[in-house]
Structures are given as structure tokens and as C-alpha cells.
Amino acid sequence: MITNFRRGLMAAALAFAVLAPASPAQADDVTLVGVTARSNRQKSDQDPATWMPMPSVHCRYLGEWVATKQRWGLAVDPAERKALLRYAADCPNARITYDPAA
């Protein structure tokens, strides 16, 4: 039992280290969306080229994804760009607003 508990703590610490923001300013830029554990496991660290949530929230997900990329000046790879454009066609009224990071 103690071994499993320790293993769980080490896994949590490793996950935190991997998910830690790249800069202190990014630590304050958090968008939380409640999801099931199954959905969270499915998404993992995939981008829209390889994973999308259920269709009813595509537009919100894409908007938040693009706003975060824009805010922090993050790159978009060719496969991700293609997926973003494909899914965005279903969101004609979407507006993306963001404040550039300082």
C-alpha cells in the first residue's frame, strides 16, 4: 500500500513538472474546463490535429486554443494549422479575443 502511494506521488510530481508553465507569467494564465477523467486521458498532450472534444464544444475549444497560442506567441505546426482551419469552418460566428502576454 505504501509503495503504491509513493508511486502515485512520484507520478503526480512528474506530471506537475511536465505540465509546469514555461514562464512565471504563464502560471497566471489558466483556462479550466471541467471534463471527465476519460476525456482528459484521451486528450493527453495532443493538439487539434490528433484530438478534438465532442462536436458540441468544438468552437469553444478552438477559440481557447487559438487565443492561448496568440497570447503567448506559440508556434503552430502544419498538421495543427490544417486541423484548425478545417474545424474553424464550422464556427463562422466565432470571435477570438486575447491580450498579448507582457
Side-chain angles (χ1 to χ4, degrees):
M1 198 76 159
I2 293 174
T3 304
N4 289 341
F5 179 73
R6 286 186 184 153
R7 231 180 284 156
L9 284 178
M10 288 189 302
L14 178 59
F16 178 76
V18 170
L19 298 175
S23 73
Q26 287 176 332
D28 295 330
D29 186 31
V30 177
T31 300
L32 297 176
V33 177
V35 297
T36 65
R38 179 178 179 214
S39 180
N40 193 40
R41 281 190 302 273
Q42 287 174 340
K43 186 208 177 292
S44 185
D45 63 348
Q46 299 177 76
D47 66 28
T50 55
W51 184 89
M52 283 294 288
M54 63 182 125
S56 63
V57 295
H58 277 187
C59 294
R60 176 182 176 191
Y61 181 79
L62 290 175
E64 291 175 359
W65 185 273
V66 171
T68 300
K69 291 278 192 167
Q70 290 290 318
R71 174 169 168 71
W72 294 102
L74 302 174
V76 175
D77 65 52
E80 181 183 0
R81 182 178 187 280
K82 184 177 178 181
L84 290 169
L85 292 171
R86 183 177 69 244
Y87 289 114
D90 295 331
C91 307
N93 299 319
R95 292 188 71 150
I96 298 171
T97 58
Y98 68 94
D99 293 320

